[in-house]
Amino acid sequence: MRTDVIYGLAVDLVAITILAHLIYFYRHYRRDLRLAYVAVNIGVFTVVTLLLVQRADLAIGFGLFGVLSIIRLRSSSLTQEEVGYYFVSLALGLVNGLAAQAPWVALPLDAVLLAVMYLADHPRLPPRTMHRVVTLDVVHPHEGALRADLENRLGGTLLRCSVIEVDYVRDITVVDVRFLPRAPRREPVRVPATRASAPEDSLSRSTT
């Protein structure tokens, strides 16, 4: 195996480990997607490296992985955050496979991709909005009552709600909701009171 391929593989393994394990897994805790990101990254790197070594048409490899990516994304329910990680893991494989002979190009690009994902998905930066599809067992007559009910049930500040379905026969309302959860209140720590010994008890102990 050529030295540039080994070097590119080592850089790619370090990069996908940082992305899939240190950044993604410790924030979202999904082992299945961590494995998927690693598999896609290594698969892309392997195919791109083989196409470069054999001097084949790169359009064949790009078309193949485009089809595989569409199948993978349609076969499971993924959030937009997980889709972002998915494509960055694919991009890391492409960058390290294509730029294996030019490490001064691959390393800065890897650092940019990892830094962007680390900062963009950092839990301390923006307030995290949440998304829910809520089925209510009531039909509210106006939007104000609907928003108040949703904020009470979800325990957060409602940002946007869109009514998907209203069933007056069963009294059901299906609403697509985006809200900002409220920070949990910190209750004061209560120190249990210690029972002081009565004077009679101390006197009886001393006499005995």
Side-chain angles (χ1 to χ4, degrees), residues 98-139:
L98 292 173
Q101 300 177 356
W104 58 89
V105 176
L107 287 177
L109 292 177
D110 288 347
V112 168
L113 289 172
L114 294 175
V116 167
M117 293 304 294
Y118 177 81
L119 294 176
D121 192 35
H122 200 282
R124 294 184 180 179
L125 284 183
R128 292 202 167 205
T129 59
M130 301 186 69
H131 173 248
R132 295 286 187 274
V133 177
V134 182
T135 301
L136 301 175
D137 56 349
V138 63
V139 178

Side-chain angles (χ1 to χ4, degrees), residues 151-167:
E151 288 188 346
N152 183 46
R153 292 173 184 262
L154 297 173
T157 303
L158 193 66
L159 301 176
R160 178 181 176 273
C161 67
S162 177
V163 178
I164 300 175
E165 179 184 355
V166 177
D167 191 336

Side-chain angles (χ1 to χ4, degrees), residues 48-192:
V48 170
T49 302
L50 180 61
L51 292 176
L52 289 176
V53 171
Q54 298 297 327
R55 300 187 182 277
D57 189 1
L58 287 178
I60 299 176
F62 290 144
L64 173 62
F65 280 100
V67 173
L68 293 177
S69 299
I70 294 174
I71 294 174
R72 177 65 186 88
L73 292 176
R74 292 178 57 133
S75 63
S76 178
S77 176
L78 298 177
T79 65
Q80 296 304 313
E81 293 176 342
E82 293 164 347
V83 171
Y85 279 99
Y86 188 88
F87 281 108
V88 170
S89 65
L90 190 148
L92 287 174
L94 288 174
V95 167
N96 294 307
L98 292 173
Q101 300 177 356
W104 58 89
V105 176
L107 287 177
L109 292 177
D110 288 347
V112 168
L113 289 172
L114 294 175
V116 167
M117 293 304 294
Y118 177 81
L119 294 176
D121 192 35
H122 200 282
R124 294 184 180 179
L125 284 183
R128 292 202 167 205
T129 59
M130 301 186 69
H131 173 248
R132 295 286 187 274
V133 177
V134 182
T135 301
L136 301 175
D137 56 349
V138 63
V139 178
H140 292 284
H142 52 85
E143 185 179 355
L146 174 62
R147 296 178 66 91
D149 188 11
L150 289 171
E151 288 188 346
N152 183 46
R153 292 173 184 262
L154 297 173
T157 303
L158 193 66
L159 301 176
R160 178 181 176 273
C161 67
S162 177
V163 178
I164 300 175
E165 179 184 355
V166 177
D167 191 336
Y168 288 98
V169 177
R170 297 180 296 169
D171 283 337
I172 288 177
T173 306
V174 181
V175 192
D176 184 279
V177 182
R178 298 186 184 275
F179 66 100
L180 185 64
R182 298 191 185 100
R185 296 180 179 179
R186 295 184 177 180
E187 297 183 356
V189 179
R190 297 180 179 178
V191 179

